[in-house]
Amino acid sequence: MCPLGVSSRLSGCAAMLKEIVITEQPACARVPKDFPITLCCRAQGPPSLHYQWLQLSEAPYEEIPGANKPDLHIVAKQTHLYICRVNDEHHKTLYSRWAKVKVLKDVPRGLVPPGWEGDPIIVTQPASAEVMSQCPVQFQCHALGIPAPQYQWYHNGLPTKKSRLIQIKAVKPGDCGSYLCCVSNVRGERWSAPVDLTIGQDIILQALPTVKRPKETYFAVGKVALLIGNNGYLNHPNLLAPMVDVSELSVLLRKIGFCVVSLVDLTREEMLRAVNQFLDLLDKGVYGLFYYAGHGYERSGRNYMVPVDAPQPYRPENCISVQKILQQMQDRKTALNVVLLDTCRKWYNSDCALSKVTPQKPLGNTVYGYATSENAEAYEVQDGDFSSGIFMTYLKKHIMDDKKVTHMLEAVLEDIGDDPLVKGKQVMEIRHTLKESRSLTDKVCPSRNMRLNSMEWEQHRNLPRQKVKFSCGVEAELRFQPVFSNLIHAFAKLTYTPAHLKDMRVHLYNPDMAEHSLTNCTKLDRDDSILAFGSDGEKADSMLRLSGLQKLQNDVIIKIDLHYTNLTSGMHAQDTLDHRIPTTWVARFCNKDTAFMNNDHELGTTNGCCLPRTQCSPTTNCSDNKLGANHPGNASGMPISVQSKSSSEPEENDERHFS
């Protein structure tokens, strides 16, 4: 055990191992500001193991200079997350668990004794409370400890909650009595002072009958969202806005605590796989949100999504039923299910027999938000570089409102109804069985065995920077920026150039993938140029877009070409490096989401064109209907037209279970 070390040990074989095995994991800690602490990580495996510690604060995690020993010695200034990377001479890599060092800044002077070794010290004691019946109350207890202490509350001598905070939404007589908290870790335990909870006389409420009782507070055990946007179809008209809409919605949902998976351009098999993984994350008390933007249709109350590989014409087995997804969401006993569909709801095959609709369970926790009404189309706006669905244009204005989900959607409905561009063409529809005033902004109070932690979720989508050095002495840094859960951008930035070299140009490309690569970021389009700058405002020298990550079976190899002129010889030269991204790295990333997007589909449509998310009949032609210029998505002020593209008639979908 390291002196003042923070670690938890795993049993391991002392014999030589072919694979890397971490036998001692770094552990979390809660310490006062400016306290010296040591994080420990030990591993067994092949000879010549190399350690590298990384740190995460608000930016993507970065390597800590010089931190290449099993022990990391730090002075805790502020709260950070730390992780240790262990690799061998064959480039096999294994990461330790994350360790959070929480810094408590308001620790009273003298509370921590000299030579403190990490036994629990209670910093915040709970306080007694007297409240009215049915009113909320909470007790809290905060402590220092190395490793971070665990909490066990007792009510009238019986164990109850295991957290720093115990909260009662509406106090009842059975909640009254004595409360105290036991704080413990491997170095010892401490008990808080006992406190009492009592109910005061209700005469105050009886004397003031008009007093409004406090609003009831709801919590989610976890919040998870699956967003799918299908832009590029193989056999049907392409769309413009789904990629943009998914990106904007993912940013907003993460801000209110959702763990988000965002995916674009999926085949039927990939959509089914994504839905199954999404369902696996749902559990009792979780808020689940499913959003789809792309081609779709409705028949007999059933909604269907069209994958990008659906044939022309598509048959029942080529599409996916939204109601089947909702049914399986309900089977997980979630606290809230929200389904947002930004698709058309028209049906063109009047000769097709009706299908039987299985009623949904009346659980009182389901909300449907349709971008348009039954037997109508949903439109998207394109004006030059800008594209967005009408539904998303107004949804993003209200989705972070702290109000009941249905009330939030009603505000979206009203805004769409006032939009002159789609008046009489697109009217949003809301259906729900929500009996409680639950909001998408409700706070998360995770259970101990719950897998959904938004902070840990976000850590997985941040890829560390990598430094490379060419044989000529030039040094560069590689950065990776998530765009969607199945699309990332790789950037190269030259960081050091020897004095005898000039005219440097660096180029990233992948020989196995026909992806978008730019060697000069001044040529990037509007969305790419935003992504070409890091959080420090520094501009990259080259960018490579890697998409379709869900399809990868092998490691990704990035070629890095450097072109330069040697001043000594006057010769032009080239140097090339290979950089490997392990499939395990990409697979971990593909289950997480990110903040930005890039619309790489330029379809050559007319400026200011509003396209429906459907396949219209061959006789449909709305291109001459001018709807006006004063629209939120019409930056140019030019007239915007509505246009439908022809296709063959779709057919009804079957109801087989997800595989």
Side-chain angles (χ1 to χ4, degrees):
M1 181 72 71
C2 313
L4 280 187
V6 185
S7 62
S8 57
R9 292 186 177 271
L10 298 174
S11 61
C13 179
M16 185 65 66
L17 300 175
K18 294 183 180 180
E19 300 293 334
I20 303 173
V21 177
I22 294 181
T23 58
E24 185 174 354
Q25 295 277 4
C28 301
R30 294 171 64 87
V31 298
K33 187 178 180 182
D34 297 325
F35 188 83
I37 186 173
T38 300
L39 300 176
C40 302
C41 179
R42 298 286 189 275
Q44 293 181 354
S48 304
L49 291 181
H50 176 74
Y51 295 81
Q52 178 62 57
W53 287 88
L54 302 98
Q55 171 183 290
L56 172 68
S57 53
E58 294 181 354
Y61 57 82
E62 299 179 349
E63 294 182 357
I64 303 174
N68 50 16
K69 302 292 183 182
D71 297 341
L72 175 65
H73 305 284
I74 60 173
V75 176
K77 297 289 186 181
Q78 56 184 341
T79 299
H80 284 301
L81 288 161
Y82 299 89
I83 193 172
C84 185
R85 183 182 66 222
V86 185
N87 62 274
D88 60 19
E89 57 187 4
H90 302 293
H91 304 292
K92 292 183 179 180
T93 302
L94 185 64
Y95 285 85
S96 71
R97 290 200 297 257
W98 283 98
K100 181 178 182 179
V101 177
K102 172 69 176 178
V103 175
L104 278 67
K105 298 182 179 180
D106 298 326
V107 178
R109 181 173 298 180
L111 184 64
V112 180
W116 177 59
E117 295 185 352
D119 52 299
I121 298 176
I122 296 179
V123 177
T124 303
Q125 293 277 1
S128 297
E130 181 179 4
V131 299
M132 296 296 106
S133 178
Q134 299 300 313
C135 286
V137 70
Q138 67 178 22
F139 299 112
Q140 57 181 331
C141 180
H142 295 277
L144 304 172
I146 306 175
Q150 296 180 337
Y151 299 81
Q152 176 64 67
W153 285 89
Y154 291 84
H155 175 217
N156 295 332
L158 298 177
T160 176
K161 301 289 185 180
K162 293 183 177 181
S163 62
R164 292 189 296 272
L165 177 70
I166 183 170
Q167 190 169 42
I168 304 173
K169 296 180 181 179
V171 174
K172 301 181 292 293
D175 298 319
C176 296
S178 176
Y179 290 82
L180 74 162
C181 184
C182 176
V183 184
S184 63
N185 63 12
V186 295
R187 301 180 184 275
E189 68 177 29
R190 294 291 185 273
W191 291 80
S192 72
V195 295
D196 295 322
L197 173 62
T198 57
I199 295 179
Q201 297 295 325
D202 286 337
I203 187 171
I204 298 178
L205 292 179
Q206 295 172 3
L208 300 172
T210 59
V211 173
K212 189 175 182 180
R213 296 192 176 222
K215 176 186 175 182
E216 188 169 3
T217 303
Y218 292 95
F219 297 92
V221 172
K223 297 195 285 189
V224 60
L226 172 61
L227 317 180
I228 298 178
N230 284 342
N231 266 48
Y233 283 83
L234 301 178
N235 305 299
H236 304 279
N238 286 337
L239 298 172
L240 298 171
M243 185 179 288
V244 182
D245 294 346
V246 166
S247 172
E248 293 184 329
L249 183 58
S250 66
V251 174
L252 298 175
L253 290 177
R254 282 200 310 277
K255 289 182 179 180
I256 54 178
F258 272 84
C259 302
V260 182
V261 176
S262 65
L263 299 163
V264 293
D265 290 344
L266 299 186
T267 64
R268 182 179 185 276
E269 181 181 351
E270 291 166 352
M271 289 181 70
L272 290 175
R273 189 185 310 122
V275 168
N276 283 330
Q277 293 174 350
F278 167 65
L279 294 171
D280 287 341
L281 293 172
L282 301 183
D283 206 343
K284 184 177 181 180
V286 173
Y287 287 11
L289 185 146
F290 178 78
Y291 170 84
Y292 171 76
H295 285 311
Y297 67 95
E298 179 176 317
R299 174 61 170 169
S300 186
R302 292 292 181 93
N303 301 93
Y304 299 97
M305 303 177 291
V306 181
V308 296
D309 63 341
Q312 174 71 289
Y314 44 75
R315 299 185 57 80
E317 60 270 19
N318 305 132
C319 302
I320 298 174
S321 168
V322 177
Q323 278 72 19
K324 177 64 69 174
I325 297 175
L326 178 58
Q327 177 183 341
Q328 298 198 23
M329 290 173 68
Q330 289 184 334
D331 291 342
R332 268 62 178 181
K333 300 181 179 179
T334 47
L336 176 65
N337 294 315
V338 179
V339 176
L340 303 176
L341 296 180
D342 199 353
T343 70
C344 295
R345 299 173 66 187
K346 294 200 72 164
W347 177 253
Y348 299 100
N349 193 348
S350 58
D351 297 330
C352 182
L354 297 177
S355 62
K356 182 179 180 181
V357 178
T358 303
Q360 300 294 330
K361 299 177 182 178
L363 300 180
N365 64 348
T366 300
V367 179
Y368 263 109
Y370 297 95
T372 190
S373 55
E374 187 175 357
N375 199 35
E377 295 172 333
Y379 291 90
E380 58 182 27
V381 175
Q382 189 215 359
D383 178 29
D385 292 335
F386 176 84
S387 57
S388 179
I390 294 291
F391 179 50
M392 184 57 63
T393 299
Y394 298 105
L395 178 65
K396 64 187 180 184
K397 291 174 54 180
H398 298 285
I399 197 164
M400 296 179 65
D401 292 349
D402 186 17
K403 59 176 65 173
K404 188 176 179 180
V405 180
T406 53
H407 296 167
M408 178 272 293
L409 291 176
E410 286 170 358
V412 178
L413 184 152
E414 293 175 1
D415 283 353
I416 294 177
D418 293 335
D419 190 334
L421 178 63
V422 292
K423 205 161 190 176
K425 294 181 176 292
Q426 179 174 341
V427 179
M428 183 187 168
E429 183 177 344
I430 304 168
R431 297 179 185 175
H432 74 94
T433 61
L434 189 61
K435 60 184 180 182
E436 298 172 329
S437 296
R438 293 188 180 271
S439 167
L440 295 180
T441 59
D442 289 343
K443 293 183 178 180
V444 175
C445 293
S447 62
R448 178 171 293 274
N449 58 352
M450 191 60 205
R451 294 171 292 170
L452 294 177
N453 182 293
S454 58
M455 179 176 291
E456 295 179 0
W457 186 275
E458 289 298 301
Q459 294 164 9
H460 284 271
R461 72 183 184 90
N462 294 320
L463 308 182
R465 300 178 181 182
Q466 302 287 310
K467 295 181 179 179
V468 296
K469 185 174 182 179
F470 294 89
S471 59
C472 61
V474 173
E475 296 179 2
E477 183 179 69
L478 293 180
R479 305 178 186 179
F480 303 92
Q481 179 139 29
V483 183
F484 295 103
S485 296
N486 59 342
L487 189 155
I488 62 175
H489 282 175
F491 297 98
K493 173 69 179 178
L494 297 177
T495 57
Y496 172 74
T497 302
H500 66 285
L501 304 180
K502 71 171 186 177
D503 299 333
M504 300 291 172
R505 289 185 298 110
V506 64
H507 175 62
L508 297 177
Y509 68 96
N510 183 289
D512 301 322
M513 303 174 68
E515 294 301 335
H516 186 56
S517 177
L518 291 172
T519 58
N520 185 346
C521 285
T522 60
K523 298 179 182 178
L524 294 173
D525 60 36
R526 181 178 64 98
D527 297 312
D528 280 336
S529 63
I530 297 174
L531 297 174
F533 293 84
S535 59
D536 54 2
E538 192 174 8
K539 193 174 182 180
D541 296 309
S542 180
M543 185 207 81
L544 174 67
R545 179 185 298 125
L546 300 171
S547 64
L549 300 182
Q550 76 279 4
K551 304 178 187 294
L552 292 180
Q553 301 296 326
N554 301 312
D555 294 350
V556 179
I557 303 298
I558 295 179
K559 296 282 187 180
I560 312 171
D561 279 355
L562 176 69
H563 300 265
Y564 60 91
T565 301
N566 191 315
L567 295 177
T568 305
S569 63
M571 299 292 292
H572 297 286
Q574 176 180 338
D575 204 345
T576 300
L577 290 176
D578 289 348
H579 184 78
R580 182 175 61 90
I581 304 178
T583 52
T584 54
W585 206 15
V586 175
R588 181 186 68 175
F589 165 74
C590 279
N591 290 328
K592 313 300 174 186
D593 185 39
T594 184
F596 299 101
M597 56 67 58
N598 174 60
N599 184 1
D600 193 35
H601 299 269
E602 297 181 1
L603 304 179
T605 55
T606 58
N607 185 44
C609 184
C610 185
L611 303 177
R613 288 177 175 170
T614 185
Q615 291 83 28
C616 296
S617 62
T619 59
T620 302
N621 183 6
C622 307
S623 58
D624 295 330
N625 295 336
K626 306 296 182 181
L627 296 181
N630 298 323
H631 187 267
N634 185 11
S636 67
M638 297 294 292
I640 297 180
S641 61
V642 177
Q643 186 176 17
S644 297
K645 296 188 177 182
S646 63
S647 175
S648 58
E649 300 171 345
E651 298 182 8
E652 178 64 332
N653 189 293
D654 64 355
E655 288 301 309
R656 294 183 295 179
H657 289 278
F658 295 111
S659 56

